[in-house]
Amino acid sequence: MTDSQSLPQIGQVVRILRGRDAGQYAIVIKILDERFVLIADGNKRKFDSPKKKNIKHLQLCRHVATVVKESIQETGRVTNGKLRFALNKFKETLNDEEKGE
């Protein structure tokens, strides 16, 4: 089992591989079963209307947004602002890693 096919966690950042949103990043907000998760990015995909995705169509990143994870665990939901904030922070670390090479 490769790193990209391990089980996702709530709050985990994923890269969408298939569909119209391919190449974009989102955050897992709910795990439906062993095959499907709900993802949202706070922009186009709000928390209240998340996208159901097959795990096979997602590349799991190692990064887990603790802000999002804790919010969902405490209240059962997360604001779209927190989703955007967590994704922007993640993208900044990606850019820093690329510059560091």
Side-chain angles (χ1 to χ4, degrees), residues 27-90:
I27 296 180
V28 175
I29 58 169
K30 188 171 186 181
I31 298 165
L32 299 175
D33 55 32
E34 64 275 352
R35 279 186 60 207
F36 291 100
V37 295
L38 293 180
I39 60 170
D41 64 6
N43 256 341
K44 206 176 114 197
R45 285 278 165 209
K46 307 277 193 224
F47 177 82
D48 293 324
S49 59
K51 178 76 179 146
K52 181 180 175 184
K53 286 298 265 184
N54 188 327
I55 294 171
K56 290 180 183 173
H57 298 169
L58 300 172
Q59 175 186 0
L60 303 178
C61 301
R62 288 194 183 103
H63 183 75
V64 174
T66 50
V67 177
V68 174
K69 186 177 182 178
E70 289 169 0
S71 180
I72 291 174
Q73 285 174 344
E74 288 170 17
T75 63
R77 55 183 294 117
V78 64
T79 63
N80 293 312
K82 280 185 184 172
L83 288 171
R84 289 192 299 270
F85 174 78
L87 280 174
N88 286 335
K89 207 168 176 185
F90 170 72

